[in-house]
Amino acid sequence: MEPFSLDSPGFMNLLSSQTSQPIDVGSIGVGSSTVPKPLERKKWTTQEDIVLISAWLNTSKDPIVGNQQKLGSFWNRIAEYFNSIPQLSGFAPREWSQCKQRWGRVNEQVCKFVGSYEAALKEQASGQNENDVMKSAHDIFFNDYQLKFTLEHAWRELRFDQKWRSNSVSRDGPKEKRKEAAETEPELEEVRPPGIKVSKAAKRKKHGNEAALDQIESILAMKTIISNRKILDRLLGKNADTLSDQEMTLKNKLISEML
């Protein structure tokens, strides 16, 4: 058998057939200016923040699922609630991961501002009103964190919830008068007739009954919220086209009450 030669006609024909098709370098797109740009992140609006806060509060405080659901399920419920609100019908829907990331930002900033507001209340001088306290709180926040607080709308939605509630109260009167009243109160106690203590005990008992009544009313209100939430979840789980007019009216009413 003759040895294989690079100059043989068979090899030359094979080489010609493999290189007969030219390669169009331009079609590969090297250096092309048509590379797709990443989508611009859509900023959250004030209205979206308020709905997100409402969704988080309603979902986290649900005694049935609040402490038993997994993280993914928890945020899926929040995203479902968020995207079902009629007030956001003209907005693009948000993914659960977007809701989770935005809530983390809102919660962090509001918690910091609670401390600034607390400090402003403690520094409130005689004659200053709520607007003065807010201005001072914003100044304290800026001095502490070197940035402006832009989530006042979120703080106003959360300020009376237990987690974000301030321990101080607004001071309307001069400090000197409050101190003077506190110092003279023991002297007033000494000149009271004996019957006053009995009267105070009766008042305490009355206040205790009122507290018990308030607790019962709070329990009943919570049961009503839970019941309405179950009904709303059932309505949201149905196809909107199959809902009757009565069910659609009830659905919109319950959603409005949740806000």
Side-chain angles (χ1 to χ4, degrees), residues 23-53:
I23 299 176
D24 185 5
V25 178
S27 64
I28 301 178
V30 179
S32 174
S33 60
T34 61
V35 178
K37 298 180 179 180
L39 296 176
E40 184 179 356
R41 294 173 58 185
K42 182 177 176 293
K43 292 184 178 180
W44 284 72
T45 64
T46 298
Q47 189 174 2
E48 286 181 301
D49 282 341
I50 293 176
V51 173
L52 176 63
I53 290 170

Side-chain angles (χ1 to χ4, degrees), residues 170-217:
S170 181
R171 305 175 180 180
D172 297 326
K175 297 180 180 179
E176 293 76 13
K177 289 185 178 180
R178 290 195 304 274
K179 181 177 180 181
E180 180 180 350
E183 293 175 348
T184 57
E185 186 173 354
E187 297 178 1
L188 295 176
E189 183 71 25
E190 294 177 358
V191 298
R192 287 173 182 169
I196 294 296
K197 294 184 178 181
V198 177
S199 176
K200 289 177 64 177
K203 289 182 179 179
R204 285 196 297 268
K205 183 177 180 181
K206 180 180 178 180
H207 291 163
N209 293 335
E210 291 177 351
L213 181 60
D214 291 341
Q215 185 176 6
I216 294 175
E217 291 177 351

Side-chain angles (χ1 to χ4, degrees), residues 24-89:
D24 185 5
V25 178
S27 64
I28 301 178
V30 179
S32 174
S33 60
T34 61
V35 178
K37 298 180 179 180
L39 296 176
E40 184 179 356
R41 294 173 58 185
K42 182 177 176 293
K43 292 184 178 180
W44 284 72
T45 64
T46 298
Q47 189 174 2
E48 286 181 301
D49 282 341
I50 293 176
V51 173
L52 176 63
I53 290 170
S54 175
W56 189 91
L57 291 175
N58 281 282
T59 305
S60 64
K61 293 183 178 180
D62 190 335
I64 298 177
V65 296
N67 296 323
Q68 299 177 359
Q69 54 196 331
K70 295 181 180 179
L71 181 62
S73 174
F74 175 76
W75 285 104
N76 277 327
R77 287 175 60 87
I78 290 180
E80 179 184 356
Y81 180 100
F82 178 90
N83 293 319
S84 66
I85 298 300
Q87 286 83 344
L88 300 181
S89 58

Side-chain angles (χ1 to χ4, degrees), residues 54-253:
S54 175
W56 189 91
L57 291 175
N58 281 282
T59 305
S60 64
K61 293 183 178 180
D62 190 335
I64 298 177
V65 296
N67 296 323
Q68 299 177 359
Q69 54 196 331
K70 295 181 180 179
L71 181 62
S73 174
F74 175 76
W75 285 104
N76 277 327
R77 287 175 60 87
I78 290 180
E80 179 184 356
Y81 180 100
F82 178 90
N83 293 319
S84 66
I85 298 300
Q87 286 83 344
L88 300 181
S89 58
F91 292 78
R94 297 282 189 178
E95 299 292 337
W96 71 266
S97 57
Q98 294 175 304
C99 295
K100 180 175 181 292
Q101 183 178 14
R102 180 59 177 176
W103 170 256
R105 169 73 174 175
V106 170
N107 183 39
E108 177 190 12
Q109 294 295 303
V110 169
C111 286
K112 290 179 178 179
F113 188 76
V114 168
S116 301
Y117 184 78
E118 183 87 10
L121 284 177
K122 293 179 179 179
E123 296 177 359
Q124 183 182 5
S126 173
Q128 289 186 331
N129 56 26
E130 176 65 16
N131 292 334
D132 297 322
V133 174
M134 284 300 300
K135 182 179 183 304
S136 177
H138 277 279
D139 292 340
I140 293 173
F141 185 93
F142 183 80
N143 291 333
D144 288 345
Y145 305 106
Q146 304 304 311
L147 55 88
K148 292 183 178 180
F149 180 65
T150 59
L151 296 173
E152 185 174 330
H153 59 278
W155 172 77
R156 292 191 180 279
E157 291 293 319
L158 294 167
R159 62 178 300 191
F160 297 114
D161 191 87
Q162 183 176 2
K163 180 179 178 181
W164 298 274
R165 184 179 301 165
S166 175
N167 294 324
S168 300
V169 294
S170 181
R171 305 175 180 180
D172 297 326
K175 297 180 180 179
E176 293 76 13
K177 289 185 178 180
R178 290 195 304 274
K179 181 177 180 181
E180 180 180 350
E183 293 175 348
T184 57
E185 186 173 354
E187 297 178 1
L188 295 176
E189 183 71 25
E190 294 177 358
V191 298
R192 287 173 182 169
I196 294 296
K197 294 184 178 181
V198 177
S199 176
K200 289 177 64 177
K203 289 182 179 179
R204 285 196 297 268
K205 183 177 180 181
K206 180 180 178 180
H207 291 163
N209 293 335
E210 291 177 351
L213 181 60
D214 291 341
Q215 185 176 6
I216 294 175
E217 291 177 351
S218 177
I219 294 174
L220 293 176
M222 180 60 70
K223 289 184 177 180
T224 301
I225 293 175
I226 296 172
S227 177
N228 290 341
R229 180 62 184 176
K230 289 181 178 179
I231 296 174
L232 180 59
D233 287 344
R234 186 169 67 253
L235 294 175
L236 291 175
K238 292 184 178 180
N239 190 334
D241 296 334
T242 63
L243 294 177
S244 64
D245 293 341
Q246 183 178 3
E247 289 177 328
M248 183 63 69
T249 302
L250 177 59
K251 174 184 173 182
N252 294 333
K253 179 182 177 182

